[in-house]
Each structure stands twice: as C-alpha cells, then as structure tokens.
C-alpha cells in the first residue's frame, strides 16, 4: 500500500508510504483518491495528510515521465482533495517538493516542521508544476514570490514559507498541530483556488523573464512557467489548470526534460560498482599535502563532511598560507549563511596545518595536492609512506600524471589511488576516482565512501594523460585554437559556445584559471606528442607575451582595471600572424561551424576514452562533462547530446572534416562501430 489511512475519533490520518522519498506515482495517486472517498464516506471532520519516514513527498515519480500518463492524474486528485467537504491539512516533515508541494496547496491548511522545506523544483527536470502549482501558488504568496519559487526551482525553509504566507504554522509535531486545529475555524478556511488571484503586473512579469533569460539562457521550462502563471491570473481556476496541464505534458516529453531526467538519475546512480564488495576502511583523520587553492579547497570539503584534517606543508610560510586559505573559505561560508558560527568554529577546531608529518601519523588517508610534477609527487609519496600507518591510503589529486608510475615508488602500490577534485574543491561536485592497475578494492570502496560523505559525484576512471575530463578538455581547446588560427577570434568562439549553453566559452574559462598551467602541461607533453599532429602555437605566444589571464590583467581578453573584459585586437592578430606564417588561407566560420568542430572533437575523444576502457560508460562522461566542465546540464551531458545527433551523422561529419586534417579528425573506432550497427554511443 503506497497510501495508508487510519481513523482516530473523527480525524482521518492519511500517510503517503512510498520509500525512499514518497514519490507520487500511480499507486500514490490512486491511494489519495481512495482516501478522499473514504474520508467522505466516514464523514470525518478533517484529514491530516503526511508522509512516512519523516518525508512528505519528493514530487511526481519522474520515472513515469517516459510513459504515457495514466489515470487518475494528479491534478484531478488534487481537485478532489481541494473540493472535498472534508477539509484536508498537510502536515509536512522533511520535504514537500513539486507534486508534494502541490498536494499541500490543495489542502486548507499547511503546517511544517521547523527544519522542513517546500518548493517547486520542476524546472530542474525541464518541466513546470503540473498539478496546480502555477495556478494556486500565486493566490497564497503573490505574483513575485510565486515567479521566484517556480522559475528558480529552489526550495524554501519553513520560516520563509511562513513569512511568505505559503503555510500557516510551524510546529515540531505537524500531525499534532493539525489535530489541535479548531474544527469550526478549519471549516471557515476557503480553498486556495477560491482566494483571489494577484493582479497582472507586467513589470513583475518582465523582470522575471529578464532574470530567467540571464540565469537560465536556453532553457524552455522557466519561461513557459512564467507564461502559464500569467495566463492563470486572468482565467477561472479550472481553465488555468487546463493551460498548465497542457504545457506540463508538452514539456514532459521535450528533449530538454529528457536530458535533465537523464542527468538527475545518472547523478543518483553514480555509486560503487556492484562487483566491488570489499568494505571501505574507516576514515577520521585525513592529511592533505599542500595548502594552496586546491589543497585548502579539498581540506574545507573534508571539514564540511566531518573529518579531522591536517595540511602538511614544506615550511612555515606554507603553513601560514594554508591556514589563511582555509580561514578565508570558512569565513566566506559563514558570511554567506552556509554555516553557523558554531559550525565555523567546529570546522576550525578540526583543522590544523604543520610542517611536521608526524602530526599525521594516525591519518588513514593522505591526499597529495602539490605542484604538478612527477618528481615532487614521488618525494611526497615516499615521505608519506614513512610517516603514515602502513595501511593508510595514499592518494594524489593530480590532474594528468600517471598514477601507476606514482604507485610504483611505494612498497604497497595497492594503497594508491587518484582523487581528482575540481577547483574550487569545496564547491565543484565532481570527483574523478582514478583507479591504478594495482589499486585494491578496499581503497576504491573507501574513495566512493569518501565521495558520498562529501556529497560529491564519484566517477571511476582509468589511468591516462588527463583521465576523462582533462583529456576531453585538451581536445576541446585544441579544436578551439585551430578554429581561431584558421579564421575566427576567441570572442566569436566563446560566443558560439555560450549560445550552445556553456556559462563561459573556452577562452574566458582559461583566463580565469590561468594560461600557465596548460602551458606547463604542453611542455611536459612535448616529448610524447605525435609529430604528425598539427600544433597550434598561439597559446605559447600568449605566455611569451605575459598574457596569462585575469591574474596578469590580460589573457585572451584584456581586463582594464581588473574588471569587465574587453576584446583584444592584439590577440586577434596573433591568429592572423600564425596563419600567415603557416601559409594558411583563413576562412570565416559561422557560429554553427565553430560549435560543430568543438563538439565533434570532444565527442570523438570521449568515444576513444570509452573504447580504451578509460571511461566506464557514456553516462560517466555525461557526469564528468556536466559537473566538472560546465557542459549544459539541460543537454544531458556530452554523450547524451551525441546521441541526439546519432553516431552515423557524427561519423559523416567527421569524415568531412578529416579531409582537412586526417590526424586530428581520426574517427574513433567506437563511433564507427555504433554507426555501422545503428546503436547509441557506448550505451
Ligand atoms: N521521482 C522518482 N524517483 C525519485 C524522485 C522523483 N521525483 N526523487 C528522488 N527519487 C529517487 C532517487 O532517484 C533515488 O533513487 P535510488 O535510491 O534508486 O538511487 C532515491 O529516490 C533517493 O533520492 P536521493 O538520492 O536524491 O535522496 P536525497 O535524500 O539525497 O534527496 C530529495 C531527496 C531532496 C527528495 C531529492 O531526491 C530530490 O530533490 N528529488 C527530486 C525532487 C523533484 O524534482 N521533484 C519534482 C518532480 S516533478 C513533479 O513533481 C511534477 C508535478 O508538478 C506534477
């Protein structure tokens, strides 16, 4: 039974019972409808609806969205609840999201536990509220707040919900508070739909549209939500609900909704592979070598997850810098209200920085986050081996280097793993877990357990230069530089990728991270680079000119006064010059052509990663590109996007490009295979 009913005197208790999150699928909808009939038959004086397990309801069951809707539909069930002569009260613990919040709106009263949250995250799944949210919410909170809640998808605390008029009461025991409501007073409360609509306010609507265009460019659902909310303001409730339902059903089967569902479920499915059954070791104290931006970000992520953290540094100056870096993140988190004073001081209590490796002698995990040099890292590994327990895990945060080579310096290479965090490490959700040839299952299981505790998305990858993410990134940048040299400008390329859905194009991103890192990497790769492969020298010229990005006031763009960026004609000239030196006749690329080259280069590389077994699945590549590299979430990740093009079409287009440069555009065998067999790429 997904909905249980129980009667005590004249009060009916209806409990949604659909673990783990009380998603509202067919059986819950049917159960709620049956409960309406039951309460009326029994002539109860109220129904108190709640969710089992301290969770009201996480919304409609998104797993049903790939199939045709089945009756009873949620909007009809909620109409029955709202119009029943037995008044319903929502007693909310945990979360009431999407359809869950819509159940609450159809009730006469809403009571929340102090730490409960309520919201409408539908747009994050590419849809809009489809069971009255867009129509009933404005009646309670007004137009501005309804637009904010629905277009942002962000849930609200009980306190905020009370202030906005969305709920009537906060109580530690919502069921008890609902029981205590005076029957007569309850009878006088009008249904939400009967409350007056707020007036149409074009200024407010325009501001909301403007905001959505800036924040969620390219996404259909938030704009559609505004249209539907606006339509409802002038329509009788049933007509407004019909407009909403039509839009919801259209969006539900849209490409964007499919892509967002894919990422939603992929994120949750990112777990330890089933064939690894070894239990993780217990972690309490973690040592981090290096307290720079990366090391201190990792330290804070671990402090947030409850670990004791010691940063190990070379000298007193390094120790001071590490302390300052961590302190800055703690203070910023406090200032932004992400943690309380008490939580800030608790994090500081669990943190230390020192040059004395013996202070980490009981650490069961060490993460090396030092300078990207094999020699430096080798030395650190050997020192850690001397000072840490013999079974402690020794990890490297390297972005490119060979984990197997690093492991080989230790007596027990099975204790070594790559933990590739992304900067800023306390914010970015992706964690590439790099499995060395000898890494033990226990170590892998511990890495996944660590990711879970830090609320990161773990993706296991194999050893190669750059692993999954940076190898794809290298091809993306190479394709961008080639397009630049052969005819475009960095700003045209950036604009084309922003139009595709990236928040920033490849050049603006490089200016942020600094051009020196990629430069050092290119020098490292000089010895092994395929001499037949075309080399684009523009980025090296930039470094020679001291244009290292924002930190030097100029990179691909100029940043006069350290502020807003401007295009730099000197940079554009570098492309023209280099093309001239190479005897290349430049061409003008359209935005579509730019996108085609950059995206196909990434897809081809990703297919190679799958073919070589470095990436375990196409879905893993989707997670890496979305959560580590800014690929638009609403396109579902690189390989989900590739599937929308189809392997045959991709192969055809790459074959065309290979006429210009057969080395750079060497088609991945996996793509060919999928094109020949008519299958999806790597799925
Ligand atoms: N539909 C189907 N399954 C869902 C689901 C949903 N709406 N929400 C969560 N789940 C599943 C997850 O896939 C996961 O399954 P698994 O155990 O097999 O991997 C399981 O429930 C637990 O989910 P989480 O790992 O996310 O658990 P957390 O405790 O970390 O988070 C949560 C709980 C905050 C409820 C989070 O799951 C969440 O945000 N869910 C989505 C909420 C949402 O977007 N609701 C709107 C749905 S659309 C809608 O309601 C339309 C309506 O207007 C008609």
């Amino acid at each position: 039974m997904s909905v249980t009913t129980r009667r005590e005197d004249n009060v009916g208790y209806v409990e949604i019972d659909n673990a783990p999150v009380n998603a509202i699928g067919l059986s819950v909808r049917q159960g709620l409808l049956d409960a309406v009939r039951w309460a009326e038959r029994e002539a109860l004086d109220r129904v108190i609806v709640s969710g089992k397990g301290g969770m009201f309801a996480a919304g409609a069951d998104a797993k049903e969205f790939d199939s045709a809707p089945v009756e009873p539909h949620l909007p009809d069930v909620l109409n029955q609840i709202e119009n029943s002569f037995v008044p319903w009260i929502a007693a909310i613990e945990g979360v009431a999201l999407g359809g869950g919040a819509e159940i609450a709106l159809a009730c006469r009263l809403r009571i929340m536990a102090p730490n409960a949250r309520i919201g409408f995250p539908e747009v994050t799944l590419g849809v809009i509220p489809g069971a009255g949210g867009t129509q009933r919410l404005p009646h309670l909170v007004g137009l501005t707040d309804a637009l904010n809640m629905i277009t942002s998808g962000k849930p609200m605390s009980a306190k905020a919900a009370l202030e906005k008029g969305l709920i009537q009461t906060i109580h530690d025991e919502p069921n008890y508070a609902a029981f205590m409501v005076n029957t007569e007073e309850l009878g006088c409360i009008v249904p939400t739909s009967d409350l007056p609509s707020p007036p149409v306010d074009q200024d407010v609507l325009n501001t909301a549209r403007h905001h959505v265009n800036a924040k969620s460019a390219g996404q259909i659902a938030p704009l559609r939500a505004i249209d539907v909310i606006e339509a409802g303001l002038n329509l009788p409730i049933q007509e407004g609900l019909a407009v909403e339902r039509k839009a919801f059903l259209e969006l539900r089967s849209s490409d964007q909704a499919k892509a967002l569902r894919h990422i939603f479920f992929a994120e949750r499915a990112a777990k330890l592979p089933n064939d690894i059954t070894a239990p993780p070791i217990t972690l309490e104290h973690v040592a981090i070598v290096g307290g720079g931006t990366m090391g201190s970000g990792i330290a804070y992520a671990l402090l947030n997850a409850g670990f004791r953290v010691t940063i190990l540094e070379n000298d007193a100056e390094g120790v001071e810098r590490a302390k300052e870096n961590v302190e800055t993140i703690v203070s910023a988190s406090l200032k932004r209200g992400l943690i309380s004073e008490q939580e800030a001081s608790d994090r500081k209590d669990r943190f230390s920085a020192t040059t004395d490796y013996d202070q980490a002698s009981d650490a069961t995990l060490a993460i090396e986050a030092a300078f990207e040099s094999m020699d430096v890292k080798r030395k650190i590994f050997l020192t850690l081996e001397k000072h840490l327990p013999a079974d402690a895990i020794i990890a490297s945060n390297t972005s490119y280097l060979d984990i197997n080579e690093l492991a080989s310096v230790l007596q027990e290479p099975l204790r070594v793993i790559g933990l590739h965090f992304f900067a800023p490490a306390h914010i970015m959700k992706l964690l590439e877990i790099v499995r060395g040839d000898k890494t033990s299952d226990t170590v892998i299981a511990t890495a996944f357990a660590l990711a879970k505790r830090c609320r990161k998305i773990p993706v296991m990858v194999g050893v190669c230069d750059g692993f999954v993410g940076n190898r794809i990134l290298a091809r993306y940048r190479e394709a961008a530089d080639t397009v630049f040299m052969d005819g475009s400008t960095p700003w045209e390329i950036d604009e084309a990728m922003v139009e595709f859905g990236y928040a920033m194009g490849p050049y603006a991103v490089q200016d942020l991270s600094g051009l020196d890192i990629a430069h050092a990497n290119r020098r490292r790769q000089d010895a092994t680079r395929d001499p037949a492969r075309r080399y684009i020298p523009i980025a090296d010229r930039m470094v020679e000119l001291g244009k290292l990005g924002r930190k030097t006031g100029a990179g691909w763009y100029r940043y006069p006064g350290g502020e807003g960026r401007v295009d730099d004609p000197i940079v554009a000239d570098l492309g023209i010059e280099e093309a001239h030196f190479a005897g290349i006749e430049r061409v003008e690329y359209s935005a579509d052509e730019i996108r085609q080259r950059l995206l196909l280069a990434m897809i081809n590389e990703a297919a190679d990663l799958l073919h070589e077994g470095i990436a375990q699945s196409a879905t893993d590549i989707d997670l890496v590109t979305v959560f580590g590299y800014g690929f638009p979430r609403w396109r579902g990740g690189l390989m989900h996007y590739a599937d929308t093009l189809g392997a045959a079409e991709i192969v055809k287009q790459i074959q065309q490009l290979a006429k210009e440069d057969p080395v750079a555009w060497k088609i991945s065998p996996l793509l060919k295979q999928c094109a020949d067999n008519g299958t999806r790429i790597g799925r």
Side-chain angles (χ1 to χ4, degrees), residues 170 239 249 256 260 281 409 411 425 485 495 515 570 682:
I170 297 178
E239 285 178 39
L249 290 176
Q256 287 195 6
L260 286 163
I281 64 166
V409 304
Q411 281 168 21
M485 180 161 158
E495 201 178 311
L515 275 68
I570 296 174

Side-chain angles (χ1 to χ4, degrees), residues 66-335:
D66 285 322
S67 328
V70 178
E71 287 184 344
H73 306 305
L74 191 58
D76 300 331
V77 175
L78 299 191
N79 276 339
Q80 299 279 340
I81 288 179
E82 187 173 51
N83 296 321
S84 173
F85 63 82
V86 180
W88 282 49
I89 304 176
I92 302 169
E93 289 182 313
V95 294
L97 297 176
E102 288 171 308
I103 294 177
L105 293 183
C107 293
R108 300 291 163 94
L109 264 181
R110 288 155 293 281
I111 301 172
M112 281 175 84
N115 58 0
R117 286 175 303 136
I118 186 164
F120 299 86
E122 283 89 342
V123 291
T124 64
L125 289 175
V127 293
I128 61 169
T134 64
Q135 304 302 300
R136 292 190 178 98
L137 185 64
H139 292 207
L140 290 170
V141 302
L143 183 56
T144 306
D145 287 321
L147 287 165
N148 277 345
M149 275 191 94
I150 289 173
T151 58
S152 75
K154 289 200 180 115
M156 209 176 240
S157 66
K159 188 165 166 274
L162 185 69
E163 279 163 15
K164 301 283 182 198
L166 174 48
I167 63 167
Q168 289 90 340
T169 310
I170 297 178
H171 197 281
D172 284 333
E173 289 178 51
N175 262 322
Y176 174 74
F179 169 78
M180 291 302 288
V181 174
N182 177 287
T183 309
E184 253 175 55
E185 282 172 17
L186 181 61
C188 295
I189 299 174
V190 284
T192 312
S193 296
D194 291 351
L195 294 168
S197 278
V200 179
D201 184 332
Q202 282 308 334
D203 286 345
V204 169
L205 289 159
N206 287 341
T207 306
R209 287 193 173 97
H210 182 74
H211 191 71
V212 161
N213 280 326
K215 282 254 163 201
S216 323
Q219 295 188 50
I220 305 166
L223 283 176
R224 193 75 190 270
I226 300 175
D227 293 345
V228 170
I229 292 171
E230 180 179 8
L233 299 174
N234 278 327
L235 289 173
I237 187 77
Q238 290 310 323
E239 285 178 39
L241 288 172
V243 171
E244 177 193 75
R245 185 73 183 159
K246 182 169 176 288
F248 170 78
L249 290 176
E250 275 170 27
L251 289 168
R252 205 179 82 129
S253 54
S254 68
D255 288 344
Q256 287 195 6
K258 283 182 191 150
L260 286 163
R261 281 203 294 279
H262 164 65
I263 280 294
F264 175 85
F265 286 115
E267 188 181 339
R268 279 147 184 91
K271 289 180 186 148
L272 183 69
N274 286 337
D275 59 338
I276 298 184
T277 49
I281 64 166
T282 308
L283 300 179
E284 191 272 323
H285 185 192
V286 181
I288 294 170
V289 184
T293 311
M294 197 39 132
S296 48
I298 298 173
Y300 187 72
L302 296 176
L303 289 168
N304 261 350
F307 296 104
R308 189 153 60 86
V309 177
T310 301
I311 289 188
L312 299 167
E313 266 289 351
N314 277 338
D315 49 31
E317 213 178 292
V319 168
E320 273 323 298
R321 187 188 52 154
K323 282 184 180 164
E324 263 171 43
N325 284 345
V326 171
E327 171 69 41
T328 305
I329 307 176
V330 173
S331 308
S333 305
L334 182 63
K335 209 164 144 199

Side-chain angles (χ1 to χ4, degrees), residues 513-533:
S513 55
L515 275 68
D516 41 345
I517 301 169
H519 181 257
N521 224 13
R522 285 195 299 278
R523 294 297 70 86
R524 185 178 56 76
Q525 291 164 335
D526 281 344
T528 52
R529 186 173 298 113
D530 176 0
R533 195 167 187 112

Side-chain angles (χ1 to χ4, degrees), residues 15 326 455:
E15 192 174 61
V326 171
R455 302 181 76 85

